[in-house]
Amino acid sequence: WKRVTGVQTCALPIYLRLRGHRLLGVTTMGSDIPDVIAELCAELGTPGPSRETARIATDKTQMKLRFRERGIPIPWFEEIDRVERLREIVAERGLPLVVKPIDRSGSRGVFLLEPGCDLEELFARSLAFSRAGRCLVEEYLPGPQISTETILSGGIGVTPGFADRNYELLDRFRPQFMENGGWVPSALTPAERREVEALVVRASLALGVTDGVTKGDVVWTPDGPKMIEMAARLSGGDFCESLVPLGTGINYVETAIRIAIGEQPDLSALVPTRDRCVANRYFFADPGRLVRVEGVDAIRGEPWLVKLVLRYGPGDVIPPTTSHAERAGVFIVVGDDRAEVQARIDRVYQAVRFVVE
């Protein structure tokens, strides 16, 4: 492992398929490491993302340059290396804007720049998150945000993963962008969904993914859908393994694994077999030493509560929330429609209380 990838440990969510003593394939879920997967696949001779795809997928500047080159609609952007240039851009374009590291995920270092904000501080904080010491500024696109997951085989793409992203806690965490879960099915119309699906397939091919999976972040604007970014992997955050299977009956994690071991997938099988409303939400606790969590036993037995997982236990020190890595837990609820699911989300939040000192 270390010889091939330079990584000291293999304690990463990587899925290996073995037949006897022969490795058939490797893929990952929820970890933004296409460079590691590409090196392993090249070394082992198994299907997977190319080194070029991995390079572009882990560098947001290079990704946006490729999208622009291929005619994929994206927000205006520019890589910056000094706060003086950021001030010039603000004077030229105005606010709001978004600043982010070029090589991180999970909302790390992604800040909304608004009138009255401290540009120098937010630029420095964003830059500090970047492993490469690089960040970019881009146009802020208001509008519904959508998470997608596309399965590709032979250059043909199907997008069974389709969820609305929930940003109801934006005011609590601003200027940090912090998502608070998602909704399945999406509130977009069928026609709007088809436009998004066509876009993410084009974006996947622009990244060089013809056989595999991509995770897209899309904003629906008055001019139609625009790509924010795309990852060359399966998603984390309960999306591919819980929200979509619970809502649609589709298990495309299995399909992604089949592609990774060189099997020909049946894309026609990625058709919903049910239509159920599903949502996941996160717990964000105040920083400090956790004394106890109240109300879990009272709510855990509800049949509509599919999952409730807490990250911290009594005595643990909860750090300040700077990314999704610090969230205190997650839960998933199901129901017949959004109104019913929202009522159940509210019940969980009312029942569960983190007591912190």
Side-chain angles (χ1 to χ4, degrees):
W1 173 274
K2 184 179 179 182
R3 176 180 62 82
V4 176
T5 67
V7 177
Q8 178 67 40
T9 174
C10 62
L12 294 165
I14 289 179
Y15 298 84
L16 306 175
R17 176 71 179 270
L18 295 167
R19 181 171 295 155
H21 296 290
R22 186 166 66 90
L23 182 66
L24 298 183
V26 54
T27 187
T28 187
M29 177 192 294
S31 290
D32 206 22
I33 51 170
D35 48 343
V36 174
I37 300 299
E39 289 298 328
L40 284 170
C41 291
E43 175 77 10
L44 300 169
T46 59
S50 68
R51 291 186 176 99
E52 175 69 1
T53 291
R55 181 185 69 82
I56 297 171
T58 51
D59 185 322
K60 298 183 195 302
T61 299
Q62 294 302 311
M63 181 189 305
K64 289 179 185 293
L65 288 171
R66 173 62 63 85
F67 285 161
R68 188 168 66 187
E69 173 189 308
R70 300 294 174 86
I72 306 297
I74 57 173
W76 172 91
F77 73 97
E78 181 180 320
E79 184 171 321
I80 54 174
D81 59 5
R82 54 192 175 88
V83 72
E84 290 78 14
R85 178 55 187 153
L86 178 57
R87 290 197 182 98
E88 292 171 357
I89 291 171
V90 170
E92 295 165 3
R93 301 189 62 88
L95 295 173
L97 294 167
V98 178
V99 65
K100 62 176 66 172
I102 60 97
D103 54 359
R104 298 306 300 268
S105 59
S107 294
R108 293 172 179 85
V110 184
F111 299 112
L112 178 63
L113 306 180
E114 299 178 286
C117 72
D118 188 329
L119 293 178
E120 184 170 356
E121 178 195 3
L122 294 180
F123 172 72
R125 287 171 61 187
S126 183
L127 195 63
F129 273 98
S130 173
R131 298 185 181 96
R134 298 161 54 206
C135 67
L136 59 81
V137 62
E138 68 182 24
E139 175 187 6
Y140 172 64
L141 297 177
Q145 295 201 29
I146 304 103
S147 287
T148 65
E149 208 138 48
T150 301
I151 299 292
L152 296 107
S153 178
I156 304 299
V158 177
T159 304
F162 204 102
D164 291 346
R165 306 179 75 175
N166 182 277
Y167 281 97
E168 63 190 0
L169 300 182
L170 187 59
D171 287 340
R172 173 180 172 181
F173 288 106
R174 72 184 334 123
Q176 173 110 31
F177 280 92
M178 195 67 67
E179 184 180 358
N180 190 37
W183 289 99
V184 171
S186 171
L188 294 189
T189 68
E192 290 168 341
R193 174 164 179 158
R194 287 192 293 272
E195 284 193 55
V196 173
E197 290 176 343
L199 174 62
V200 294
V201 171
R202 288 174 54 207
S204 302
L205 297 175
L207 288 185
V209 180
T210 57
D211 296 270
V213 61
T214 58
K215 176 190 177 297
D217 294 335
V218 180
V219 175
W220 183 268
T221 77
D223 299 320
K226 292 190 178 184
M227 288 298 311
I228 301 299
E229 53 199 48
M230 177 169 276
R233 58 171 171 82
L234 286 164
S235 60
D238 304 297
F239 184 23
C240 63
E241 81 279 18
S242 295
L243 265 67
V244 176
L246 287 168
T248 69
I250 300 172
N251 178 7
Y252 60 88
V253 174
E254 177 182 349
T255 307
I257 292 173
R258 291 190 180 280
I259 293 173
I261 64 175
E263 293 185 1
Q264 185 70 27
D266 180 9
L267 297 184
S268 66
L270 301 179
V271 177
T273 59
R274 59 173 172 259
D275 184 12
R276 197 176 193 191
C277 189
V278 188
N280 69 327
R281 293 293 184 270
Y282 304 125
F283 293 112
F284 295 99
D286 294 332
R289 186 173 298 278
L290 181 61
V291 177
R292 63 186 179 277
V293 182
E294 299 175 342
V296 174
D297 292 338
I299 201 74
R300 197 186 288 277
E302 295 290 350
W304 42 262
L305 182 63
V306 178
K307 174 181 180 179
L308 195 160
V309 176
L310 302 177
R311 179 174 183 182
Y312 302 105
D316 289 342
V317 176
I318 301 176
T321 301
T322 61
S323 73
H324 283 294
E326 290 87 31
R327 62 196 180 204
V330 62
F331 63 92
I332 299 175
V333 299
V334 298
D336 292 331
D337 53 38
R338 283 206 180 195
E340 184 175 62
V341 169
Q342 184 60 61
R344 291 169 174 176
I345 290 170
D346 295 341
R347 282 189 60 186
V348 175
Y349 278 135
Q350 291 163 6
V352 179
R353 178 171 174 262
F354 291 80
V355 180
V356 179
E357 64 178 11

